[in-house]
């Protein structure tokens, strides 16, 4: 198991205008002549961190990272206008074309795995392969497990603060109740709900609760982008039919795919990754590798998950542009 690479600088960063109102921030890193790999961050609305590029060997890979619409350094901040799964898929293609890349490896975890699947199923000819972690496909049962009833049975103490901003009579649909407040006109309520929503998710993201990780939610800009954009995507079902990404998995079954799953992932439980693996052909498909990590939760930045992701990138070095 290999550790992440030491920190290294970005070769180039810039903004790409992708619509009348949206510009996305991107970073071009590593070997300019290397095998291209695109990193799709979580959330939606989470943005990229400097440590995210450290999964990729800078001598081998040309790694491309970007902040999805309206989060991180992309503009405008926290906007829900023209911000859907398919807008983001279009942005990935626009960025690939802008950078002159013919095909690339698609790398994503959590919401990033959702977007990786949506993009590669729409553009299978542009993907060299996929490295996926903590699979999330936006099925209603997945959303309800974490935001309605399921994970609160494990994180009962933290769930009280998540439920607190919502009156008892509206708790039958927590996502809708939060969305109403996060898109309302009361700025104080909006920020309070953004903090509670994002704190809840950060609390459950690692096998062992990480208080420093939770503190990200104290940044009001980050919390508002994260909570508003997530709730917007979730109440709209990602603008996909129920179960679409599992049902259409055959479109990418010919590609090399590694699926990495924390056994004790409370945000995106293992059932979803198992369903995807079976839809891709399971043991009968030699292109697909399914790896469950004992002693790991959801976050990409738990040591066991980090090492498994780096190992997958090492294995993919056999691929060429």
């Amino acid at each position: 198991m290999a550790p992440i690479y030491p920190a290294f600088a970005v070769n180039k960063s810039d903004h790409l205008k992708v619509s009348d109102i949206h510009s996305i921030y991107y970073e071009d890193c590593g070997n300019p002549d290397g095998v291209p790999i695109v990193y799709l961050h979580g959330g939606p609305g989470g943005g990229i961190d400097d440590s995210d590029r450290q999964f990729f060997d800078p001598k081998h890979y040309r790694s491309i990272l970007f902040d999805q619409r309206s989060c991180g350094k992309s503009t405008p901040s926290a906007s829900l206008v023209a911000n859907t799964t398919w807008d983001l898929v279009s942005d990935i293609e626009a960025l690939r074309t802008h950078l002159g890349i013919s095909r690339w490896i698609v790398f994503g975890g959590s919401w990033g795995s959702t977007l990786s699947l949506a993009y590669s199923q729409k553009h299978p000819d542009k993907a060299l392969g996929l490295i996926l972690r903590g699979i999330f496909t936006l099925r209603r049962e997945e959303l309800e497990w974490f935001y309605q009833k399921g994970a609160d049975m494990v994180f009962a103490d933290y769930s009280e603060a998540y439920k607190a901003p919502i009156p008892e009579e509206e708790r039958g649909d927590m996502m809708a109740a939060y969305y109403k407040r996060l898109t309302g006109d009361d700025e104080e309520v909006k920020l309070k709900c953004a903090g509670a929503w994002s704190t809840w998710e950060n609390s459950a993201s690692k096998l062992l609760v990480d208080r420093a990780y939770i503190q990200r939610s104290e940044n009001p800009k980050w919390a508002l982008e994260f909570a508003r954009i997530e709730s917007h995507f979730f109440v709209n079902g990602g603008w996909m039919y129920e179960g679409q990404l599992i049902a259409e998995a055959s479109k990418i079954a010919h590609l090399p795919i590694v699926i990495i799953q924390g056994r004790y992932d409370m945000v995106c439980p293992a059932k979803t990754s198992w369903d995807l693996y079976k839809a891709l052909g399971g043991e009968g498909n030699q292109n697909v590798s399914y790896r469950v990590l004992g002693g790991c939760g959801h976050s990409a930045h738990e040591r066991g998950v980090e090492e498994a992701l780096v190992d997958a990138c090492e294995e993919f070095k056999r691929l060429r542009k």
Side-chain angles (χ1 to χ4, degrees):
M1 302 285 279
I4 59 173
Y5 285 88
F8 57 91
V10 174
N11 294 335
K12 177 187 176 182
S13 63
D14 203 350
H15 283 80
L16 176 66
K17 191 169 180 61
V18 290
S19 79
D20 290 342
I21 66 168
H22 289 284
S23 292
I24 58 170
Y25 169 80
Y26 71 89
E27 298 178 347
D28 195 336
C29 312
N31 180 356
D33 298 316
V35 174
I37 187 166
V38 60
Y39 176 92
L40 304 181
H41 68 67
I48 57 174
D49 294 319
D50 287 344
S51 59
D52 293 334
R53 71 182 78 104
Q54 293 175 247
F55 292 113
F56 314 116
D57 181 351
K59 294 181 180 178
H60 180 83
Y61 285 111
R62 179 187 181 187
S63 52
I64 308 299
L65 301 87
F66 72 99
D67 288 323
Q68 294 158 28
R69 291 192 181 197
S70 292
C71 67
K73 296 179 182 178
S74 293
T75 59
S77 174
S79 172
L80 306 182
V81 177
N83 198 347
T84 73
T85 302
W86 306 111
D87 291 315
L88 302 188
V89 166
S90 175
D91 292 349
I92 300 169
E93 264 300 273
L95 185 57
R96 183 192 62 78
T97 301
H98 175 70
L99 295 173
I101 294 170
S102 58
R103 300 175 71 197
W104 49 12
I105 300 167
V106 183
F107 180 112
S110 193
W111 160 256
S113 74
T114 318
L115 190 55
S116 296
L117 291 167
Y119 170 77
S120 59
Q121 288 175 12
K122 187 172 180 63
H123 300 285
D125 58 324
K126 306 306 181 188
L128 288 167
L130 293 87
I131 299 173
L132 307 173
R133 184 266 313 166
I135 306 304
F136 175 52
T137 67
L138 265 175
R139 294 178 298 182
R140 189 68 189 180
E141 67 179 10
E142 299 170 42
L143 292 167
E144 291 189 347
W145 157 264
F146 192 70
Y147 294 100
Q148 192 63 41
K149 192 66 175 176
D152 64 329
M153 299 288 283
V154 182
F155 290 89
D157 46 351
Y158 288 98
S159 73
E160 285 195 4
Y162 165 64
K163 294 173 183 177
I166 307 302
E168 289 276 357
E169 61 270 19
E170 292 186 57
R171 291 182 186 175
D173 190 339
M174 292 289 289
M175 286 177 282
Y178 262 98
Y179 184 60
K180 180 173 75 173
R181 289 158 176 80
L182 288 164
T183 56
D185 296 326
D186 190 320
E187 292 301 316
E188 183 178 347
V189 169
K190 191 181 296 184
L191 289 173
K192 179 181 179 181
C193 286
W197 175 286
S198 55
T199 296
W200 165 239
E201 187 159 334
N202 287 342
S203 299
S205 285
K206 292 189 176 183
L207 179 67
L208 301 178
V209 175
D210 184 339
R211 308 225 176 252
Y213 194 73
I214 294 171
Q215 286 176 351
R216 295 194 305 168
S217 301
E218 296 175 6
N219 178 335
K221 177 182 183 295
W222 184 88
L224 191 61
E225 291 171 352
F226 189 73
R228 268 174 60 87
I229 296 172
E230 277 203 335
S231 63
H232 172 63
F233 274 68
F234 296 169
V235 299
N236 285 290
W239 298 270
M240 296 180 284
Y241 67 80
E242 176 69 8
Q244 178 174 331
L245 299 178
I246 301 291
E248 299 189 12
S250 60
K251 292 180 177 180
I252 57 171
H254 62 289
L255 295 170
I257 300 172
V258 172
I259 299 170
I260 293 167
Q261 177 70 44
R263 172 67 73 187
Y264 303 106
D265 187 335
M266 290 292 114
V267 181
C268 299
K271 181 182 183 297
T272 302
S273 63
W274 183 246
D275 289 346
L276 176 63
Y277 176 59
K278 290 192 295 182
L280 288 166
E283 292 183 357
N285 186 349
Q286 298 304 306
N287 295 320
V288 183
S289 174
Y290 180 67
R291 304 169 189 177
V292 178
L293 308 179
C296 291
H298 179 69
S299 173
H301 290 292
E302 293 184 63
R303 181 174 177 180
V305 183
E306 284 184 340
E307 292 177 347
L309 290 169
V310 172
D311 286 349
C313 292
E314 293 298 299
E315 294 171 23
F316 268 58
K317 284 183 175 181
R318 70 184 185 279
L319 299 180
R320 294 293 178 263
K321 292 184 279 186

